[in-house]
Amino acid sequence: MEVCTLEKRGNLFILTLTGEDEHRLNPTRIDGIRSALNRIRSDSTSQTGSVLITTAQGKFFSNGYDLAWAGSSPEKIRLMSSKLRELVADLISFPMPTIAAVTGHACAAGFILALSHDYVVMRKDRGFLYMSEMDIGLKIPAWFVAVISSKIGDAMVRREVLMEAKKLTAKEAVKRGILHAAFDSAEETVTAAVELGEKLVKRRWDGEVYSENRKGLYKEILEKLGADETTDDLKNVAIASSKM
Amino acid sequence: MCTLEKLGNLFILTITGEDQHRLNPARIDAIRSALDRVRADPGSHSSSALITTAQGKFFSNGFDLDWAHSSPDRFGLMSSKLRALIIELLCFPMPTIAAVTGHASAAGLVLVLAHDYLLMRKDRGFLYMSETDIGLKIPSSAMALIKSKIGDPMTRRDVILKAAKITGKEAVERKIVHGGYDSAEETLKGAISLGQELAKRGWDGQVYSQNRMSLFKDVLDEYDLKNTNRVLSKI
């Protein structure tokens, strides 16, 4: 079962999460994404002047962890967390600029996945960004907070996102400095991502240098990726499984 | 390589010459020597301010890569001297103002950012972390300084990852600099006016230095504790 496709368009690599479902981040999907990232890295032309665009089919970019799959199993929850952290580490060390073309809802871990890209563009006709944890009764791990803090600078907006579990439309997210830009439809969002990608490609950046400088910029995120204290909290695990 | 002038309670350090003011050991030593002279001035212990500015089209275009000529020892020497200079500025016993009258790139931008107040001309010149374009890694010390002075994540990304060339006008809009002026002369005038306002506050230099060091503790930690202690013993 293919969870994503990888397309090469000139120097742009376009990774699309396939299917009309919620693109829940279970091990299979995360492995599929990481495998695509590996294929990009092993492409010899990818070392200079390339760009990654991550996008999705259907109504969802990603609705977060696959809590239904995890059920009441702490091991499964730990596995998802560990794999997502490895994926985010991959993205932060990825040897080229990354653009998330958010063509549908991005919630919880799905929102974190989008934010783990250098540039985030989104459709404004539908869909929202939403850290749902407070509403579901889940603890937010320190590493999620590190991603949010590194990408959202305004203290009031951080409160809205994390503590108020506000559902933000793309238009609201642009105003709040969370999104780079918003566009009238899914197609236009991807077109804009491609245009931005082509501008960045022209800079001919060395992938390794770009990666090193990004790792330095997001050092605070990398420092927190080694652990997820919420997966050891049995009460949190039980809540997660009851919400499926 | 630089002149030091006293204007009332203000000390004005001007990087001289029409060249790119590349930060080689000689220029860095000259700047540090001027900072020593400021600190040694009996009038500098309170109610003072330092203004750093430059002649010509460039504030500073960064390290003297030609001089380093791919010699790791020379590059290491420049790096270590710049680090010592930045530490001195972060510990300096009076408010510091950079009157950015020309381009500031790479290490030159780091030098600018090490000042408390940044004023810049809007008619020409830009701020530019060129490292990603040239293929250089930004050292963790510089990274920490940039992040401590630029709070907005998108601006940080544009400065560090996009190697954006930021004009004075944009620098004001994006809150990288505190004020923008129509010309080099106006920028220096603005710096002097600001300096006089700050000097009037009558701040004790030691206290100012300690409070700034607390504010930028994380940055100083990245700049190497050994150096910090050596600098502190000079104050």
Side-chain angles (χ1 to χ4, degrees):
Chain A
M1 182 197 65
E2 278 292 346
V3 300
C4 64
T5 58
L6 182 60
E7 176 198 342
K8 193 173 174 188
R9 227 186 271 186
N11 288 5
L12 303 180
F13 292 91
I14 303 177
L15 192 163
T16 306
L17 299 174
T18 48
E20 299 297 312
D21 61 313
E22 295 182 3
H23 305 143
R24 290 274 178 172
L25 296 167
N26 49 44
T28 306
R29 180 162 278 104
I30 298 174
D31 284 347
I33 298 170
R34 293 188 73 204
S35 173
L37 296 183
N38 276 336
R39 289 198 316 273
I40 297 174
R41 271 193 295 253
S42 52
D43 181 320
S44 56
T45 66
S46 75
Q47 280 148 40
T48 310
S50 293
V51 163
L52 165 72
I53 295 172
T54 305
T55 189
Q57 290 175 346
K59 273 175 46 179
F60 293 86
F61 182 78
S62 167
N63 222 22
Y65 282 135
D66 195 339
L67 298 179
W69 172 82
S72 48
S73 157
E75 288 81 41
K76 287 187 172 181
I77 291 187
R78 267 185 218 124
L79 185 62
M80 278 197 306
S81 165
S82 143
K83 280 185 181 277
L84 183 62
R85 285 181 278 122
E86 286 176 346
L87 171 55
V88 170
D90 282 349
L91 286 169
I92 294 179
S93 59
F94 211 60
M96 64 186 68
T98 57
I99 305 171
V102 183
T103 43
H105 303 296
C107 307
F111 188 178
I112 297 294
L113 177 62
L115 285 180
S116 300
H117 291 71
D118 300 331
Y119 301 85
V120 186
V121 295
M122 187 171 173
R123 67 189 297 180
K124 54 181 155 156
D125 56 328
R126 50 193 301 189
F128 41 73
L129 302 172
Y130 172 41
M131 284 307 277
S132 51
E133 284 83 349
M134 193 66 74
D135 284 344
I136 320 180
L138 281 178
K139 280 196 194 165
I140 294 171
W143 80 270
F144 273 21
V145 176
V147 173
I148 299 270
S149 300
S150 293
K151 302 284 184 152
I152 300 177
D154 185 291
M156 287 202 198
V157 176
R158 289 203 285 256
R159 189 208 60 224
E160 278 184 319
V161 167
L162 282 176
M163 304 302 291
E164 214 182 301
K166 203 173 173 80
K167 284 182 182 164
L168 291 170
T169 62
K171 200 157 157 263
E172 292 171 320
V174 169
K175 253 206 281 190
R176 287 161 168 76
I178 300 174
L179 292 180
H180 190 66
F183 301 89
D184 289 330
S185 67
E187 293 72 33
E188 290 194 31
T189 304
V190 175
T191 302
V194 167
E195 266 178 42
L196 171 59
E198 289 183 336
K199 281 204 194 109
L200 298 173
V201 152
K202 282 207 189 90
R203 305 290 291 269
R204 307 270 326 135
W205 290 318
D206 177 276
E208 241 184 78
V209 170
Y210 191 90
S211 165
E212 285 301 303
N213 287 336
R214 195 207 281 106
K215 279 158 55 180
L217 175 55
Y218 298 122
K219 176 173 95 112
E220 289 75 18
I221 299 177
L222 290 175
E223 281 166 356
K224 294 278 194 243
L225 289 182
D228 181 341
E229 72 286 357
T230 62
T231 58
D232 291 329
D233 181 338
L234 291 177
K235 182 156 154 264
N236 213 47
V237 169
I239 292 172
S241 69
S242 75
K243 295 297 174 180
M244 65 185 197
Chain B
M1 293 199 161
C2 67
T3 58
L4 184 61
E5 176 197 343
K6 197 170 175 191
L7 191 68
N9 287 4
L10 305 182
F11 295 89
I12 305 177
L13 192 164
T14 307
I15 304 173
T16 51
E18 299 296 311
D19 60 310
Q20 292 185 17
H21 306 147
R22 291 274 178 168
L23 296 169
N24 48 45
R27 182 166 277 105
I28 297 174
D29 283 348
I31 295 170
R32 293 182 70 194
S33 171
L35 294 182
D36 279 341
R37 294 200 309 276
V38 173
R39 275 189 298 251
D41 187 309
S44 74
H45 301 146
S46 71
S47 312
S48 284
L50 167 75
I51 297 169
T52 305
T53 190
Q55 290 175 345
K57 274 176 44 177
F58 292 87
F59 185 88
S60 168
N61 224 22
F63 280 141
D64 195 338
L65 298 175
D66 284 343
W67 175 82
H69 205 58
S70 33
S71 148
D73 289 336
R74 286 187 169 195
F75 192 84
L77 183 62
M78 274 193 310
S79 270
S80 112
K81 280 185 180 276
L82 179 72
R83 289 157 74 92
L85 170 56
I86 299 302
I87 292 171
E88 283 197 51
L89 284 168
L90 290 176
C91 301
F92 212 63
M94 66 184 65
T96 56
I97 305 169
V100 185
T101 44
H103 302 298
S105 313
L109 178 51
V110 171
L111 176 59
V112 164
L113 288 173
H115 290 71
D116 299 327
Y117 299 86
L118 312 188
L119 305 181
M120 187 169 172
R121 68 188 298 181
K122 293 187 289 191
D123 56 327
R124 53 193 299 188
F126 42 72
L127 306 175
Y128 172 41
M129 273 317 268
S130 51
E131 282 81 349
T132 300
D133 277 347
I134 327 179
L136 284 179
K137 179 175 181 230
I138 295 168
S140 60
S141 51
M143 196 65 87
L145 179 62
I146 296 168
K147 283 153 79 171
S148 74
K149 298 285 183 149
I150 299 176
D152 176 67
M154 286 205 200
T155 305
R156 279 181 185 174
R157 179 208 57 208
D158 285 351
V159 168
I160 292 169
L161 287 184
K162 208 176 185 192
K165 285 182 179 162
I166 299 176
T167 62
K169 184 166 171 277
E170 288 173 320
V172 173
E173 282 164 8
R174 306 189 78 170
K175 301 210 174 128
I176 302 173
V177 307
H178 305 89
Y181 298 84
D182 291 329
S183 68
E185 294 72 31
E186 292 291 311
T187 306
L188 184 56
K189 263 205 245 161
I192 289 170
S193 172
L194 174 60
Q196 282 162 347
E197 247 182 73
L198 297 171
K200 261 200 217 119
R201 301 291 294 270
W203 292 322
D204 175 88
Q206 288 285 67
V207 173
Y208 192 88
S209 167
Q210 294 293 333
N211 287 339
R212 195 206 285 105
M213 286 169 65
S214 293
L215 177 57
F216 292 107
K217 177 183 181 302
D218 291 343
V219 179
L220 284 167
D221 285 345
E222 285 293 330
Y223 270 93
D224 171 17
L225 199 52
K226 251 192 343 210
N227 260 330
T228 311
N229 288 337
R230 232 183 281 133
V231 171
L232 287 182
S233 67
K234 276 213 259 175
I235 294 178

